[in-house]
Amino acid sequence: MGDSSDSVSIDMETPSLSGKEYVVETCCGYVSVSVYGDQDKPALVTYPDLALNHISCFQGLFFCPEACSLLLHNFCIYHISPPGHELGAATISPDDPLLSVDDLADQIADVLNYFGLDAVMCMGVTAGAYILTLFAMKYRQRVLGLILISPLCNAPSWTEWLYNKVLSNLLYYYGMCGVVKELLLKRYFSKQEARGSAQVPESDVVQACRRLLDERQGLNVWRFLEAMNERQDISDGLRKLRCRSLIYVGENSPFHFEALDMNSKLDRRCSALVEVQACGSMVTEEQPHAMLIPLEYFLMGYGMYRPPKLSVSPRSPLSPICISPELLSPESMGLKLKPIKTRMSLEV
């Protein structure tokens, strides 16, 4: 971090990145869970986007030393993979029934029961953000807060539904072919900054994601996509949520409007929005450093991490003073990043 008096000090303890793998039996089949950290600490549950797992969706965030130290200092991380998305997964039997988004949310409750967890913090990306939000609505007492990246809350528009049907047919008949991978990378990353062009080479992050997509079983991804394409509009339940919410969205995300719409439907007293410029949907991989400062102040509202000589109102997930654009500038973060726009209510 920079030496500016406005910068926040971070305890740079060296966390362990070795995890334990569990296969948990749930009401709707088996789920793979990777656990990182001290299980006596509060729990942070993650859920990735379509065709991804914790390696391809959250590795960038956890390889950012400051963010990794911050999260593992406060939490034990429980990475839940959608069925058939874990590393080395075989193709799910065609005899197994297709799961709905409600089934996937119920699986999370079973995972929490398996590990003896009560209330947890949740972090999800796009499809995973929808599943965790639905889980928070169905099991309100079990969610402390939501950290959502490029989230969804509406039913698919006709355009998205048709687009997903094309992708679904490609997955079903051709598996993880080149066209499917290109469509998925377009979903995750911004064009010029990450996916490149004729003049600009593809970034290392995109190349790594492309290689990891090669390991996915097309029919397993098809199952998750079918569930998401049949999802219901959950907008009406958003204002009933009592947990705090922090939303990130890249300005170049194809789900940018959906994230803004979701933020407008949440209780403005306990939600905040961070728009990351020059970034696609997967902020965790494309610009993980941009998540650090808002995440710190969000956690401070829970008393989980509080830098010295700084106080935040417990009524607000993000203090308007602390989340000011000046504090979120690259200079204040000590990083060379694209600027971040923030939109949030000034009500506390």
Side-chain angles (χ1 to χ4, degrees), residues 143-183:
V143 177
L144 291 172
L146 291 169
I147 303 166
L148 307 174
I149 298 92
S150 304
L152 306 169
C153 67
N154 299 315
S157 65
W158 281 109
T159 303
E160 184 193 347
W161 184 89
L162 184 59
Y163 183 93
N164 286 343
K165 276 300 180 183
V166 172
L167 181 58
S168 179
N169 287 334
L170 288 170
L171 281 165
Y172 189 86
Y173 291 107
Y174 301 102
M176 195 60 69
C177 61
V179 175
V180 167
K181 285 187 286 187
E182 290 302 323
L183 292 174

Side-chain angles (χ1 to χ4, degrees), residues 101-102 129-135 137 152-155 231-239 241 262 265:
V101 288
D102 283 284
Y130 178 92
I131 299 298
L132 289 174
T133 304
L134 180 61
F135 170 73
M137 290 180 176
L152 306 169
C153 67
N154 299 315
R231 70 182 188 271
Q232 300 297 311
D233 189 323
I234 57 175
S235 301
D236 290 343
L238 292 178
R239 289 197 180 275
L241 290 176
M262 180 172 180
K265 295 171 181 175

